């Protein structure tokens, strides 16, 4: 049994890590404001705003594992000052977006990183967090770099857009899938690996790259979609103000072809350190169930509304 401190634990990923650690028999404490939700049953919540100078006083003691999910350099630095000397193994959850090389398929952890010149940018902040944490912890540090995290409860609404949309009548607008890939990691697989691994150093935590047309075949089968998929080329989508990847008016998972390496990272280090991933179809099924429970036509953070999609299709 390990004594685990999660800096967070009430948000989506942090809560999954806490739940998995509890299931493995660990003693789990979560340090968080508690505004994102509740900790899993059995975990201890220490309520604190990490910007307060005394925030870490209740947890300033030895820990077998510490898990940091923040990207804010100030929060990361404060935790290191308070806890670096008390931790056996430290996991910093970073992102594959720290890589400056999005155009080379198969890039691994040795790929050059972006220079952190603007810490308001997510990737820059994560690079700064990686460097500061590595400087303090050395070989006690795991830098987990997930790709697109998916699964039930995803607050970004990206991956879930597709099974939700395909559970409704067509036709359905899609990006032209030729020479495109989808690479994800289920939040439950990511959490299980973080909760259990003793790996150190940077690790790309991603599943296998799946051709986008194969992804759509799986999503169609899971959703029972019997309509027509209508692909549109990038130039036409952009002309109609359809946006890449995420956010309002987007086609989620669609990226410029110049970023062809983003969804084709090497996951060799993850596999070699014991990382496993469930089948894509299983994740799609679970996400569809979750989408149906939350309402497939609810307002979303990512994707096209039915009216927006219809307008693009009518004007193509």
């Amino acid at each position: 049994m390990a004594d685990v401190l999660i800096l967070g634990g009430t948000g989506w990923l942090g809560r999954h890590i806490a739940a998995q650690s509890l299931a493995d028999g660990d003693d789990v404490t979560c340090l968080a404001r508690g505004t994102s939700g509740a900790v899993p049953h059995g975990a201890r919540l220490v309520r604190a705003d990490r910007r307060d100078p005394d925030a870490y006083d209740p947890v300033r003691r030895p820990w077998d594992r510490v898990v940091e999910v923040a990207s804010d350099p100030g929060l990361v630095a404060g935790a290191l000052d308070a806890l670096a000397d008390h931790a056996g193994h430290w996991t910093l959850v970073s992102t594959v977006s720290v890589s400056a090389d999005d155009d080379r398929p198969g890039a691994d952890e040795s790929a050059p990183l972006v220079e952190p010149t603007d810490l308001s940018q997510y990737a820059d902040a994560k690079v700064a967090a990686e460097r500061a944490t590595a400087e303090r912890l050395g070989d006690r540090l795991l830098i987990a770099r997930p790709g697109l995290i998916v699964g039930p409860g995803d607050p970004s609404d990206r991956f879930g857009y597709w099974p939700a949309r395909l559970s409704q009548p067509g036709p359905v607008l899609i990006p032209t899938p030729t020479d495109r890939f989808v690479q994800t990691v289920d939040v439950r697989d990511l959490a299980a690996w973080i909760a259990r691994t003793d790996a150190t150093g940077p690790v790309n935590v991603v599943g296998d790259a799946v051709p986008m047309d194969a992804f759509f075949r799986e999503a169609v089968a899971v959703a029972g979609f019997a309509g027509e998929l209508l692909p549109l080329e990038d130039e036409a989508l952009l002309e109609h103000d359809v946006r890449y990847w995420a956010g309002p008016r987007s086609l989620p998972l669609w990226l410029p072809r110049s970023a062809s390496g983003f969804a084709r990272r090497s996951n060799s280090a993850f596999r070699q350190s014991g990382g496993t991933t469930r089948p894509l179809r299983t994740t799609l099924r679970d996400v569809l169930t979750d989408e149906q429970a939350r309402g497939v036509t609810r307002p979303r953070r990512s994707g096209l509304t039915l009216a927006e999609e219809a307008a693009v299709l009518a004007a193509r």
Side-chain angles (χ1 to χ4, degrees), residues 25 108 182 292:
D108 63 14
V182 174
Q292 290 169 332

Side-chain angles (χ1 to χ4, degrees), residues 78-97:
L80 290 168
D81 288 343
L83 301 169
D85 294 336
H86 301 286
H89 183 275
W90 189 293
T91 297
L92 172 68
V93 180
S94 186
T95 170
V96 296
S97 296

Side-chain angles (χ1 to χ4, degrees), residues 4-11 14-15 18 22 27-50 55 58-59 61 63:
V4 179
L5 174 64
I6 299 174
L7 301 174
T10 61
R15 196 173 195 281
L22 288 166
D27 188 61
V28 178
T29 299
C30 300
L31 179 71
R33 290 176 300 172
T35 57
S36 299
V39 298
H41 177 71
R44 173 187 174 221
L45 174 62
V46 176
R47 292 185 182 273
D49 185 331
R50 293 173 57 187
V59 296
R61 63 176 179 83
W63 298 94

Side-chain angles (χ1 to χ4, degrees), residues 141-160:
L141 172 64
L142 166 64
I143 299 174
R145 293 176 178 163
L148 177 62
I149 306 172
V150 303
D154 177 10
S156 79
D157 289 332
R158 289 174 291 185
F159 185 87

